[in-house]
Amino acid sequence: QVQLVESGGGLVQPGGSLALSCAASGSIFSRNTMGWYRQAPGKQRELVATITSGGRTNYVDSVKGRFTISRDNAKNLVYLQMNSLKPGDTAVYYCNAYPPRELYWGQGTQVTVSS
């Protein structure tokens, strides 16, 4: 059974940092490129960052230099370190394979950047 469980969100002031984690079970993680996505209120879900099984990363322009995606292949974990957070980063953050497996979205974790 495939399961994706995100954690680590919260309320943070502009300029602050948060570290998100995603525990992936089942075949969705093994050898797959993984990604972090986010959905802000009233907007479509968007891709934020990806990481291949070999560790190659890619980021959307709006988070380059501020966010870092990483993974632990032995533990089926994907991380997103978010620094210099801005109010525009406020969203529910999800992890999934890239391209995403549409049947397997988790509950996400809320990130709110506000003073």
Side-chain angles (χ1 to χ4, degrees):
Q1 181 179 358
V2 174
Q3 192 173 17
L4 295 162
V5 180
E6 302 91 349
S7 62
L11 172 63
V12 64
Q13 292 186 343
S17 298
L18 281 174
L20 306 184
S21 298
C22 170
S25 64
S27 60
I28 197 168
F29 186 92
S30 178
R31 302 191 192 95
N32 286 326
T33 296
M34 295 296 294
W36 279 97
Y37 304 76
R38 66 186 179 187
Q39 186 167 20
K43 296 186 177 181
Q44 289 190 333
R45 186 150 37 200
E46 66 170 345
L47 177 66
V48 174
T50 61
I51 184 166
T52 67
S53 59
R56 180 172 295 183
T57 60
N58 200 15
Y59 301 90
V60 67
D61 285 347
S62 61
V63 307
K64 281 181 180 177
R66 300 188 298 121
F67 290 12
T68 303
I69 188 172
S70 60
R71 65 191 289 165
D72 184 332
N73 290 336
K75 297 181 179 179
N76 285 13
L77 293 169
V78 186
Y79 305 102
L80 187 68
Q81 176 66 43
M82 306 186 296
N83 299 327
S84 302
L85 283 161
K86 304 175 181 180
D89 296 318
T90 295
V92 179
Y93 284 71
Y94 304 87
C95 70
N96 203 324
Y98 177 77
R101 309 295 191 263
E102 294 294 342
L103 293 177
Y104 302 127
W105 291 105
Q107 82 289 348
T109 186
Q110 175 70 48
V111 172
T112 302
V113 185
S114 175
S115 55

